[in-house]
């Protein structure tokens, strides 16, 4: 048993998709979240910068005696984790493995779409992993850089999101994908708009959600689940103003988080 907290980070709000699932699946775990809102977005930055930011995010969380880190960021997971994991002794989970494994085992027609930031799509990591798991798959990728800014500004299912989604997603729809990996953890915030463009037959895979399920299995296998009988606590740290994050985060998590959000300099 290990009652230390789980650390989760993202460039902003997106990693809350993983936190929401952790609260639900592992209600006795404490969670420390870091959203690097002062430097969001990561997805259009150079590889070197994404690696540096990701390293700093991990180092920040390690101050809280963390037992497991979830890099709840598709960009950090695909661009930086291969380089950074060997530098730390704490287990670090990215979001790619669980999402690709679910996509590979649930697709019916083998046509899998992946959307993500430019950094994620250019890294080719999702494609590589899907083809390792299912060599006969056909993978269709599309960078959707505007989605992160829309989500960070509270546009979850508005007309502007639907117009942008139509523009980005029509090639994937035409390709006949039956499974779409939301390869950036911000995108589930826009899932209604994305789902309405793709149509009901397309299975949307939420990478934050899949990573949380994977984390539960991993902690269980390693006998690292908390044995506390109290409801776990959640603390949130951001590197820019707390107001926007608190309001949007409370809406998304379905509970007020204002008092648990703190600003830090990063
Ligand atoms: N939520 C992130 C991701 O999964 C970050 C997006 C960004 O900062 O550009 O890629």
């Amino acid at each position: 048993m290990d009652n230390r907290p789980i650390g989760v980070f993202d460039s902003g709000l997106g990693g809350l998709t993983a936190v929401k699932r952790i609260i639900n699946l592992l209600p006795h775990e404490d969670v420390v979240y870091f959203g690097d809102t002062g430097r969001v977005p990561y997805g259009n930055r150079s590889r070197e910068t994404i690696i540096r930011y990701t390293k700093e995010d991990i180092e920040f969380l390690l101050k809280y005696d963390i037992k497991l880190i979830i890099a709840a960021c598709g960009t950090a997971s695909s661009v930086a984790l291969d380089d950074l994991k060997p530098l730390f002794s704490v287990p670090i989970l990215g979001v790619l493995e669980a999402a690709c494994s679910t996509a590979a085992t649930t697709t019916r027609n083998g046509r899998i779409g992946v959307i993500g930031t430019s950094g994620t799509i250019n890294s080719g990591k999702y494609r590589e992993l899907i083809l390792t798991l299912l060599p006969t798959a056909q993978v269709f990728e599309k960078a959707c850089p505007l989605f992160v800014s829309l989500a960070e500004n509270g546009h979850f299912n508005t007309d502007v999101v639907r117009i942008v989604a139509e523009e980005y997603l029509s090639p994937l729809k035409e390709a006949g994908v039956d499974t779409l990996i939301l390869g950036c953890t911000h995108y589930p915030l826009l899932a209604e708009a994305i789902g309405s463009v793709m149509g009901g037959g397309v299975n949307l895979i939420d990478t934050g959600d899949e990573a949380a399920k994977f984390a539960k299995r991993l902690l269980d296998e390693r006998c690292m689940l908390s044995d506390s009988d109290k409801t776990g606590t959640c603390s949130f740290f951001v590197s820019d103003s707390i107001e926007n994050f608190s309001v949007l985060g409370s809406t998304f998590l379905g509970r007020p988080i204002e008092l648990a959000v703190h600003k830090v300099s990063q």
Side-chain angles (χ1 to χ4, degrees):
M1 291 305 147
D2 188 336
N3 292 356
R4 292 176 299 158
I6 298 171
V8 182
F9 75 87
D10 179 41
S11 59
L13 278 174
L16 294 181
T17 52
V19 174
K20 188 170 186 170
R21 188 60 158 184
I22 292 171
I23 292 170
N24 185 260
L25 283 177
L26 297 167
H28 303 296
E29 298 290 338
D30 293 336
V31 176
V32 179
Y33 183 84
F34 178 61
D36 195 5
T37 52
R39 303 192 295 196
V40 66
Y42 283 10
N44 51 6
R45 297 187 193 272
S46 68
R47 185 171 176 276
E48 293 67 33
T49 302
I50 295 168
I51 292 175
R52 177 161 59 85
Y53 287 180
T54 304
K55 184 164 181 274
E56 289 168 5
D57 299 342
I58 294 169
E59 285 165 348
F60 173 80
L61 285 172
L62 289 178
K63 291 182 202 155
Y64 295 88
D65 194 21
I66 295 295
K67 65 179 168 187
L68 166 73
I69 290 185
I70 303 179
C73 173
T75 310
S77 301
S78 43
V79 178
L81 285 194
D82 284 353
D83 287 59
L84 295 178
K85 275 184 185 174
L87 308 183
F88 297 95
S89 55
V90 65
I92 304 174
L93 271 189
V95 292
L96 271 66
E97 289 76 6
C100 292
S101 153
T102 301
T105 51
T106 55
T107 178
R108 298 170 309 277
N109 69 4
R111 300 169 82 82
I112 299 174
V114 180
I115 53 175
T117 65
S118 304
T120 296
I121 298 304
N122 292 340
S123 78
K125 287 279 177 191
Y126 274 103
R127 167 183 291 277
E128 191 184 305
L129 195 51
I130 293 166
L131 291 175
T132 305
L133 295 165
L134 185 65
T136 55
Q138 285 180 277
V139 182
F140 302 88
E141 296 162 294
K142 178 80 184 161
C144 305
L146 289 177
F147 278 170
V148 170
S149 306
L150 289 167
E152 286 287 325
N153 286 288
H155 283 274
F156 296 163
N157 189 19
T158 57
D159 286 347
V160 65
V161 175
R162 285 187 286 274
I163 292 166
V164 174
E166 195 74 55
E167 168 86 19
Y168 280 148
L169 302 175
S170 51
L172 299 177
K173 208 173 155 179
E174 279 159 26
V177 302
D178 71 354
T179 303
L180 179 63
I181 299 181
L182 307 182
C184 166
T185 53
H186 279 73
Y187 297 177
L189 300 164
L190 315 180
E192 275 188 54
I194 294 172
S196 71
V197 172
M198 293 307 293
V202 176
N203 183 25
L204 303 185
I205 297 190
D206 175 333
T207 42
D209 185 77
E210 295 296 327
K213 290 192 257 176
F214 193 76
K216 180 180 179 192
R217 282 204 301 279
L218 184 126
L219 290 175
D220 194 16
E221 276 163 25
R222 298 188 182 188
C223 299
M224 287 170 70
L225 286 166
S226 162
D227 66 355
S228 165
D229 53 9
K230 297 201 194 83
T231 302
T233 60
C234 285
S235 319
F236 302 90
F237 296 91
V238 290
S239 53
D240 203 341
S241 112
I242 63 174
E243 285 77 18
N244 192 43
F245 183 90
S246 301
V247 172
L248 296 175
S250 300
T251 308
F252 179 68
L253 292 177
R255 63 180 195 182
I257 61 168
E258 287 79 359
L259 297 177
V261 184
H262 314 275
K263 180 174 180 310
V264 293
S265 50
Q266 177 74 318

